[in-house]
Amino acid sequence: MTPSLVRNAFSNLLGAVIPALVALGTVPLVVKGLGDANYGVYSLVTAIVGYFAVIDINVTAGSVKYIAEFNARQDQKRIDETVFFGLAVYSLLGLLGAIGLYGGAHFFVTRVFSVPPQLVGEAAATLKLAALGFFLGQLQSYLQSIPQSLMRYDIAGRIEMVFGTGVPLLTVAVLMLGHGLFEVILLRVVASAINCVVLWRCIRRLLPELAWRRPGAQIRRELLGFSAYSFLSRFAGLSYAYADKLIIGALVGVTGLAYFTVASTLANRILSLTFRLSGVLFPAASALAARGELERLRALYLKASRYVVFINASVLVLVAVFSYQILYYWMNPQFARAGQVVLAVMALSQFIDSLTSLPSLVNDGMGHPRVSGMFALVRAAFGLVVVWFGVDGWGIVGAAWGHLIASVLMTCIFLAAVHGRTVPARMKDLVRHAYLPSVFGVGLVAVLADAGNRLFDGGPLDLVLLVLLTVALLFAWGALFVIEKDDKILAWSRVKGLLSMRKAV
């Protein structure tokens, strides 16, 4: 992998890691400040707002692809058309969604979901305020993609890190000052507005010649044509990500929803971080495919898969094995008892889902968004049916097991369908080169860690020592059997270079 690609990957990752850690660290304080029931309402409001994002037709995906191509050809006219077409689309979508949220606020909290009567007024007012946040969030999402399309993940990552860190901390401050749910949402709305201004100023510096230009028919056709099938993936992903919470809110209630949201959000936040590492493969795959360098793309894909699978599997071990302790010390004993199984099962489900991330990026970069879009739609429909039956029969634990069943079945189907067809690598090569180096070693470490967790339950010190030992074993296996020889040589040469520089100083 080229140094430029690696730098962009880690910049993209850093923009998510620090905000994720801060957000997760502040969850207990937010839950305490709002209370379990109010936090459930907060989860419900964010789920409804997130669900409305299904109207996003994913012009962002097409913009990233085409702005990257036009920038490489120094075609400023096409860049102008693409940028302002995207802004027009997302302004319209944001306005439509905001109207729907504002007008339907009272209906959602009184007719659709189980909101306690004493919280109905605040929930409806909060949802109306969140309508403005939805409009700003749509603009923010598109503006964030423009520096990424120019391979300036460093800028996008820094902005995301600042706002992603500041908003959770300010949320805690608002609650400590005695304010409530409405003020928390107001803070997020104001932050989105400022974020949009900062992003626009950065875009103007990156594209100093950017000027308003009416998008021509060809640009509209290309962007909408590519984005139409990418929209299916986004529609399905957002539906699936938020609909489980809506189902739980309707069948179980807001307190059960709070327990499920905390556990599932933790699993999702942690295991989705590596997607930031792999996300830069999309524009890279587009460029390699356009130049016909399929063998180079194949090698890059297999190597990236090898490392991402190992990282995700290692994280899975730490989250699943120590799920009870994580919730116990992070939240409280009640959350640990209610969410232990949910956290472990959802972490495994997220890991299985992560196996489709890199193939989907390469598939789309090769110009086949229809395949990933149709698969995502079927996967979401099947998953929601299974989750519904799981919640109806076994509550929040049933929801987690429903997610896992859907993940295993649909991931196997997708991997078998795309490899050797729209992804230039055979399935057996992927298994041999990417999966097998991690399966045996990480699986053995998981068994040992689980046995140690059962035998040495002596308190925080034993837990810390056991976690450190588990991390050391995972690191040793990765260094010995996962990292490829040429990357070891390159890493060692960089270390020696740094050491020689320090000696010279």
Side-chain angles (χ1 to χ4, degrees):
M1 288 183 278
T2 65
S4 174
L5 192 62
V6 172
R7 282 196 302 272
N8 275 285
F10 277 98
S11 295
N12 199 29
L13 175 64
L14 190 62
V17 168
I18 295 178
L21 292 175
V22 173
L24 292 174
T26 56
V27 165
L29 299 174
V30 174
V31 174
K32 183 179 179 180
L34 290 174
D36 290 356
N38 256 326
Y39 186 78
V41 174
Y42 171 72
S43 301
L44 195 61
V45 169
T46 55
I48 294 171
V49 173
Y51 202 82
F52 262 69
V54 299
I55 67 173
D56 179 359
I57 59 176
N58 207 23
V59 170
T60 298
S63 292
V64 170
K65 177 179 175 62
Y66 288 110
I67 290 176
E69 291 184 7
F70 299 150
N71 187 58
R73 296 201 297 262
Q74 298 183 339
D75 190 340
Q76 186 63 44
K77 177 178 178 294
R78 294 290 188 88
I79 292 175
D80 294 345
E81 293 182 42
T82 303
V83 168
F84 285 101
F85 180 66
L87 285 174
V89 168
Y90 279 90
S91 296
L92 178 60
L93 293 176
L95 182 61
L96 291 175
I99 292 172
L101 284 167
Y102 189 90
H106 193 266
F107 171 78
F108 288 130
V109 300
T110 57
R111 301 291 183 86
V112 181
F113 303 109
S114 302
V115 177
Q118 67 272 20
L119 298 178
V120 166
E122 186 175 18
T126 300
L127 191 54
K128 289 181 178 180
L129 177 62
L132 176 58
F134 178 84
F135 172 77
L136 294 170
Q138 291 294 297
L139 289 179
Q140 179 184 325
S141 175
Y142 181 73
L143 293 172
Q144 182 81 13
S145 72
I146 297 175
Q148 295 173 352
S149 66
L150 301 172
M151 293 302 285
R152 292 304 306 268
Y153 284 87
D154 55 332
I155 293 176
R158 282 198 298 269
I159 294 173
E160 187 174 7
M161 183 166 53
V162 169
F163 282 91
T165 301
V167 170
L169 293 176
L170 289 173
T171 297
V172 173
V174 166
L175 293 173
M176 290 179 65
L177 290 172
H179 299 292
L181 180 60
F182 184 86
E183 289 78 13
V184 167
I185 299 299
L186 177 61
L187 167 67
R188 294 177 178 270
V189 171
V190 173
S192 289
I194 299 173
N195 199 338
C196 289
V197 173
V198 172
L199 282 167
W200 180 248
R201 288 176 63 88
C202 289
I203 290 167
R204 294 295 300 178
R205 286 198 296 268
L206 290 173
L207 296 170
E209 298 180 6
L210 182 67
W212 184 89
R213 197 182 302 271
R214 182 179 179 182
Q218 183 178 356
I219 287 292
R220 297 197 302 269
R221 188 165 52 248
E222 288 176 344
L223 281 173
L224 293 176
F226 184 90
S227 300
Y229 290 112
S230 295
F231 164 69
L232 292 180
S233 296
R234 180 174 177 82
F235 174 83
L238 287 170
S239 299
Y240 194 55
Y242 291 106
D244 59 349
K245 298 175 182 62
L246 302 183
I247 292 171
I248 292 170
L251 299 182
V252 177
V254 293
T255 301
L257 176 60
Y259 295 143
F260 180 84
T261 299
V262 167
S264 62
T265 298
L266 176 61
N268 179 267
R269 284 289 183 91
I270 293 175
L271 282 159
S272 65
L273 288 177
T274 52
F275 181 76
R276 304 295 294 259
L277 281 173
S278 55
V280 299
L281 195 63
F282 174 45
S286 299
L288 291 172
R291 294 196 296 264
E293 300 179 27
L294 298 185
E295 185 55 36
R296 185 180 172 192
L297 175 57
R298 174 185 174 277
L300 177 63
Y301 167 68
L302 291 176
K303 178 176 285 194
S305 297
R306 182 185 183 97
Y307 294 154
V308 168
V309 168
F310 173 73
I311 293 171
N312 277 342
S314 300
V315 173
L316 168 64
V317 170
L318 295 172
V319 174
V321 171
F322 303 107
S323 59
Y324 181 83
Q325 291 91 335
I326 291 172
L327 291 173
Y328 183 91
Y329 291 108
W330 178 46
M331 298 297 298
N332 57 52
Q334 179 61 34
F335 271 87
R337 288 190 295 269
Q340 174 189 5
V341 175
V342 173
L343 176 55
V345 175
M346 287 298 292
L348 180 56
S349 175
Q350 289 289 333
F351 169 73
I352 300 297
D353 282 339
S354 73
L355 300 179
T356 66
S357 295
L358 279 170
S360 296
L361 291 169
V362 173
N363 172 84
D364 291 355
M366 292 283 291
H368 303 286
R370 179 177 182 273
V371 175
S372 54
M374 294 302 296
F375 166 80
L377 198 61
V378 173
R379 189 251 187 275
F382 175 72
L384 288 178
V385 171
V386 177
V387 169
W388 177 279
F389 281 109
V391 174
D392 191 44
W394 299 276
I396 62 174
V397 174
W401 282 107
H403 275 292
L404 180 59
I405 291 170
S407 296
V408 171
L409 291 177
M410 299 307 296
T411 294
C412 290
I413 293 172
F414 179 73
L415 293 177
V418 299
H419 285 92
R421 296 178 178 84
T422 60
V423 174
R426 294 178 299 178
M427 186 65 193
K428 67 178 184 179
D429 293 334
L430 178 68
V431 171
R432 177 174 56 83
H433 192 82
Y435 294 172
L436 291 183
S438 298
V439 169
F440 176 75
V442 175
L444 179 60
V445 173
V447 172
L448 294 174
D450 185 61
N453 195 31
R454 295 173 186 274
L455 292 174
F456 303 104
D457 188 17
L461 181 59
D462 282 353
L463 176 62
V464 171
L465 292 174
L466 186 56
V467 170
L468 291 176
L469 179 59
T470 303
V471 171
L473 290 173
L474 291 168
F475 181 82
W477 182 268
L480 292 172
F481 303 107
V482 178
I483 300 177
E484 296 183 351
K485 184 178 179 180
D486 58 333
D487 290 325
K488 292 179 186 177
I489 294 172
L490 178 61
W492 180 238
S493 67
R494 293 291 177 87
V495 171
K496 288 193 295 185
L498 290 174
L499 291 175
S500 63
M501 288 175 61
R502 291 187 65 180
K503 289 180 180 178
V505 173

